[in-house]
Amino acid sequence: MMDDDILDAIRHDPDLADLLWQVSEFDLSRGDHGEPVRLSSGLALEGVAGDFTGGTFFLCGDPRTARPVLYASSEGQAGLIGLNLAEALEIMIGLPSWRDCLKFSGIGDLAVMRTTADHLRRDELRNEPEVDTQRAHLADTLDLQPAAVPVLLARLQAAVSATAPAFVLTVETGEEYETLFGPWLPSRNPAWR
């Protein structure tokens, strides 16, 4: 499915939209970022959804093409998370803890991201045992291709790494958002020691 087809499918199915919000915190009613932003390359930027923390998901580029998805947090970090909406949703659905995998990534180290994902998966299964069934339903309904966690992490790491130079998000004054890769290691979280 193309980006617009996916967005239309979500808009026209309130149950699907609600489940997507529950699993991935992707809410089409929250597409306004709250401050004027632009891409360093000058490519078009369309806010299409938001999350509960005030972050925004943007489609980048010409609407008639496959558009990369950029996520901007409310804390001043931004970066690509998928080459198109389908890929970004596959990552968000298959890896609901993707933000924490980036936060505790040791500045983008894939091995560190895998360790973080293992800790988060244990927490997830303990707190939300039904999440795998919900993920499978979302992927099937949106005609997405589920992938194993290591594959999703590699795609996410590659997408964020490809942010510069064309997809760096800036404010009107020219100040750039920081990378989505956080400096921390999983050992920083006392619950994971």
Side-chain angles (χ1 to χ4, degrees):
M1 270 196 271
M2 294 299 291
D3 296 342
D4 289 334
D5 297 329
I6 293 171
L7 292 172
D8 286 344
I10 298 166
R11 286 184 186 113
H12 290 101
D13 187 338
D15 292 334
L16 175 63
D18 185 56
L19 185 57
L20 190 57
W21 166 250
Q22 289 175 36
V23 171
S24 303
E25 298 170 9
F26 186 83
D27 183 357
L28 294 180
S29 71
R30 297 178 184 219
D32 179 23
H33 189 56
E35 72 174 334
V37 290
R38 64 179 180 82
L39 290 175
S40 54
S41 62
L43 284 171
L45 199 58
E46 178 188 357
V48 294
D51 66 13
F52 81 101
T53 66
T56 308
F57 299 92
F58 294 94
L59 294 177
C60 307
D62 187 341
R64 294 176 299 279
T65 64
R67 297 187 283 171
V69 176
L70 182 132
Y71 174 75
S73 77
S74 61
E75 304 296 317
Q77 298 88 24
L80 294 178
I81 60 168
L83 299 178
N84 55 50
L85 186 57
E87 182 176 291
L89 286 172
E90 286 168 2
I91 289 168
M92 289 187 285
I93 291 168
L95 191 63
S97 55
W98 63 272
R99 290 174 200 80
D100 287 330
C101 289
L102 292 171
K103 181 178 180 180
F104 293 94
S105 71
I107 312 204
D109 185 309
L110 190 54
V112 173
M113 292 172 70
R114 285 187 190 117
T115 300
T116 299
D118 289 343
H119 288 295
L120 291 163
R121 177 72 174 152
R122 283 193 290 277
D123 293 347
E124 180 182 273
L125 288 173
R126 183 175 54 249
N127 299 329
E128 303 175 71
E130 72 289 346
V131 75
D132 285 340
T133 303
Q134 294 171 330
R135 285 182 185 155
H137 175 70
L138 281 169
D140 184 54
T141 304
L142 293 170
D143 197 27
L144 301 174
Q145 303 301 312
V149 168
V151 172
L152 296 173
L153 286 169
R155 287 182 191 166
L156 179 61
Q157 195 260 5
V160 176
S161 296
T163 299
F167 297 96
V168 174
L169 195 66
T170 64
V171 295
E172 288 184 323
T173 60
E175 185 178 343
E176 297 179 352
Y177 276 55
E178 297 175 3
T179 180
L180 288 175
F181 289 132
W184 298 300
L185 300 174
S187 59
R188 181 179 171 100
N189 186 330
W192 296 343
R193 291 185 193 144

